[in-house]
């Protein structure tokens, strides 16, 4: 079985995952991984799918477009590069920031992480009504800190990037974060 990625985006509604899964199943394909979310009414999903060699990828792409277009959904199908290797996992940490919502918050944090070679594996940013004027942004990033980079260096670099924006920063090993936040 050859693998490919499917990305689907559009206004959220019931039946999107059913439409995608029924379409690829009907072609003999198997969905192996799915990550899906809804942000302010917008649906987004990415799936890794295996297809039998006798089913051309173009056929899968056409079938998905035909099924999803009437639902107002966009779809992107891409073969996986068999030779590509993902980044070597590092030490898992959870980085949280909190501060006034303003342009540049996400860029500052992610730029600081990228400069240290930290890979963001999960990311969530939400706006909360603040007690004072405006909204507050909370970011939660799961990151892999590469070997040879100390977590204190990461914390200092992100804190330095966030200081002009007035954001608070916390960095914890994922095990510690999960134990503290276990309900």
């Amino acid at each position: 079985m050859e693998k490919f990625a499917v990305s689907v985006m559009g206004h959220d509604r019931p039946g999107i995952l059913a439409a995608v899964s029924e379409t690829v199943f009907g072609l003999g394909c198997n969905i192996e991984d799915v990550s899906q979310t809804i942000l302010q009414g917008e649906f987004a999903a990415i799936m890794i799918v295996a297809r039998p060699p006798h089913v051309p990828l173009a056929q899968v792409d056409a079938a998905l477009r035909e099924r999803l277009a009437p639902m107002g959904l966009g779809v992107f199908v891409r073969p996986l590069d068999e030779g590509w290797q993902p980044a070597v996992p590092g030490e898992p940490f959870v980085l949280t920031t909190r501060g006034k919502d303003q342009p540049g918050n996400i860029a500052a944090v992610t730029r600081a992480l990228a400069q240290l070679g930290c890979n963001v594996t999960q990311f969530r940013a939400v706006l909360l009504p603040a007690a004072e004027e405006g909204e507050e942004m909370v970011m939660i990033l799961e990151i892999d800190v590469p070997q040879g980079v100390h977590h204190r260096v990461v914390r200092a670099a992100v804190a330095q990037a966030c200081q002009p924006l007035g954001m608070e920063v916390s960095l914890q090993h994922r095990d510690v974060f999960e134990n503290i936040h276990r309900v």
Side-chain angles (χ1 to χ4, degrees), residues 90-102:
E91 193 74 19
F93 282 83
V94 177
L95 174 72
T96 57
T97 68
R98 186 177 195 126
K100 180 182 175 187
D101 179 41
Q102 56 193 314

Side-chain angles (χ1 to χ4, degrees), residues 77-162:
V77 175
R78 180 180 70 78
L80 293 185
D81 181 356
E82 297 294 330
W84 181 82
Q85 294 292 319
V88 176
E91 193 74 19
F93 282 83
V94 177
L95 174 72
T96 57
T97 68
R98 186 177 195 126
K100 180 182 175 187
D101 179 41
Q102 56 193 314
N105 285 357
I106 295 173
V109 171
T110 55
R111 184 181 322 109
L113 294 171
Q115 289 173 341
L116 293 170
C118 297
N119 190 32
V120 178
T121 57
Q122 295 284 332
F123 177 65
R124 177 84 171 137
V126 295
L127 294 178
L128 304 172
E132 300 172 11
E133 189 174 312
E135 293 180 309
E136 188 173 57
M137 174 179 269
V138 174
M139 290 188 267
I140 303 171
L141 301 92
E142 291 187 32
I143 62 172
D144 282 341
V145 176
Q147 291 183 358
V149 177
H150 198 278
H151 64 86
R152 289 185 184 134
V153 173
V154 175
R155 180 180 294 120
V158 175
Q160 183 178 9
C162 290

Side-chain angles (χ1 to χ4, degrees), residues 33-111:
D33 285 321
V34 177
S35 181
Q36 176 253 310
T37 193
I38 300 166
L39 299 174
Q40 299 183 15
E42 289 296 312
F43 173 94
I46 182 168
M47 302 168 204
I48 303 298
V49 185
R51 67 177 169 86
H54 68 276
V55 177
L57 190 56
Q59 181 182 358
V60 177
D61 183 57
L64 284 170
R65 289 179 189 279
E66 182 179 320
R67 180 77 183 265
L68 300 178
M71 298 172 75
L73 298 166
V75 63
F76 179 71
V77 175
R78 180 180 70 78
L80 293 185
D81 181 356
E82 297 294 330
W84 181 82
Q85 294 292 319
V88 176
E91 193 74 19
F93 282 83
V94 177
L95 174 72
T96 57
T97 68
R98 186 177 195 126
K100 180 182 175 187
D101 179 41
Q102 56 193 314
N105 285 357
I106 295 173
V109 171
T110 55
R111 184 181 322 109

